[in-house]
Amino acid sequence: MKTSFKLACVAAAAAVSFGAAAQDFPAANRSVTIVVPFAAGGPTDRVARDLAEAMRKPLGGTSVVIDNAVGAGSSIGTAKVARAAPDGYTLLLNHIAMSTMPSLYRKLSFNVANDFEYLGIINDVPMTLIARPNMPANNYKELAAWIAQNKGKVNLGNAGLGAASHLCGLMFQNAIKTEMTTIAYKGTAPAITDLIGGQIDLLCDQTTNTTSQIEGKKVKAYAVTTSKRLTTPSLKDLPTLAEAGVPNFEVTIWHGLYAPKGTPAPILAKLNEAMKAALKDPEFIKKQEGLGAVVASDKRIEPAEHKKFVQAEIEKWGTVIKAAGTYAD
């Protein structure tokens, strides 16, 4: 009885402590850190920095800072947040890698489904299929013919294992039933540099990386990976891959916000409300549209729907990755 009473007292004290912490969150003398598991200057980093600025006001002017914890296909930064104190001051912003890591890696120090609190989807980023500027094909039909004629010789670049370009490349090869020589780089920038220089033939990457290259005519663009054509002026004339002749092809890179498992519900509610306020911020929307991204406004901005969506994505990408036989230790 005495032990039960002591445990009850401890639980009650913890509840009071968490309640007080939630009520005071965020504290005036503390900043909120968003961990980005990719390099500074990349597309996910840019999304995070825009979001951090937009969340400052709804969090009462609290400073929101970025911590780039890079490596191992985003698993290093993701693990860092899984281990962080569940107090609302350390968050994770990651993309579609949250749904691919369970299939790509044989061993992970965290469980995507169970070690995080889901806060909501931030945006959706279309992708474009682009080629070196001296590619002889002028449209997708000609590109498909060129790929067929050069079977076994086509080089397809990507930004590394688990990167958006890697995933799109896997799905593209699977869809057209053609294997290509995959060239993995340490980031998007060197991959695009080599594409522009003609060292590789193709790249399928986010509009956040490719729009300016397409506008500057530094690369050739053939199609977008969305179900509908884009409205971005420089991309609006590009057909969808489905229109171009690859049925049911759709790849969109999304970004989501997460907190460590066990973060008190009142704090999660405050963070979700701040996130949703940021998604309605005109300046944030303008910046995202400039990157070719679409700010989320559907039910996925709610935690439960966010988690449900990611679980469906885990199943979808698991099938693609398993078929490609791509794994990392």
Side-chain angles (χ1 to χ4, degrees), residues 74-298:
S74 86
S75 63
I76 289 176
T78 303
K80 183 175 183 177
V81 177
R83 297 191 302 266
D87 55 12
Y89 291 101
T90 304
L91 307 177
L92 169 72
L93 191 146
N94 202 352
H95 64 22
I96 199 169
M98 291 296 280
S99 64
T100 60
M101 283 188 287
S103 297
L104 280 173
Y105 291 89
R106 291 188 173 92
K107 293 180 181 179
L108 287 172
S109 63
F110 54 86
N111 184 293
V112 169
N114 300 326
D115 291 344
F116 299 93
E117 304 289 355
Y118 287 61
L119 289 167
I121 292 292
I122 305 300
N123 66 10
D124 292 292
V125 184
M127 303 193 77
T128 50
L129 180 64
I130 59 176
R132 52 186 166 85
N134 59 347
M135 173 65 70
N138 294 310
N139 54 51
Y140 181 77
K141 184 177 180 180
E142 292 181 6
L143 179 66
W146 181 86
I147 291 172
Q149 290 165 7
N150 290 275
K151 192 168 287 188
K153 302 177 184 178
V154 182
N155 293 322
L156 175 67
N158 68 58
L161 183 71
S165 51
H166 174 224
L167 301 171
C168 187
L170 285 179
M171 184 168 275
F172 181 60
Q173 291 176 85
N174 188 50
I176 65 173
K177 296 178 173 56
T178 301
E179 286 190 21
M180 302 177 189
T181 300
T182 301
I183 310 296
Y185 290 83
K186 293 182 178 180
T188 302
I192 288 184
T193 297
D194 272 10
L195 185 73
I196 293 171
Q199 279 76 47
I200 55 174
D201 300 312
L202 299 172
L203 181 70
C204 183
D205 208 351
Q206 302 173 67
T207 54
T208 45
N209 292 322
T210 64
T211 301
S212 63
Q213 310 298 337
I214 294 169
E215 290 173 344
K217 300 188 184 304
K218 294 181 178 179
V219 297
K220 279 192 173 182
Y222 293 95
V224 294
T225 64
T226 46
S227 59
K228 296 179 181 178
R229 292 195 182 200
L230 304 180
T231 57
T232 307
S234 59
L235 305 176
K236 63 183 178 62
D237 293 329
L238 288 178
T240 67
L241 269 170
E243 284 179 317
V246 187
N248 304 313
F249 192 99
E250 184 177 358
V251 180
T252 301
I253 301 304
W254 44 265
H255 292 87
L257 193 64
Y258 310 81
K261 187 72 174 179
T263 303
I267 291 178
L268 293 173
K270 285 187 178 183
L271 288 167
N272 176 256
E273 287 305 314
M275 183 203 79
K276 288 192 286 189
L279 300 188
K280 293 179 181 178
D281 183 290
E283 188 62 25
F284 178 75
I285 294 171
K286 181 180 178 181
K287 287 178 179 178
Q288 294 302 292
E289 287 177 344
L291 296 173
V294 179
V295 176
S297 60
D298 56 274

Side-chain angles (χ1 to χ4, degrees), residues 11-42:
V16 170
S17 176
F18 275 134
Q23 188 174 0
D24 295 337
F25 180 85
N29 62 343
R30 294 194 65 179
S31 60
V32 172
T33 296
I34 296 179
V35 174
V36 177
F38 298 100

Side-chain angles (χ1 to χ4, degrees), residues 34-53:
I34 296 179
V35 174
V36 177
F38 298 100
T44 301
D45 178 71
R46 293 170 72 181
V47 171
R49 290 179 191 276
D50 289 347
L51 182 71
E53 182 60 33

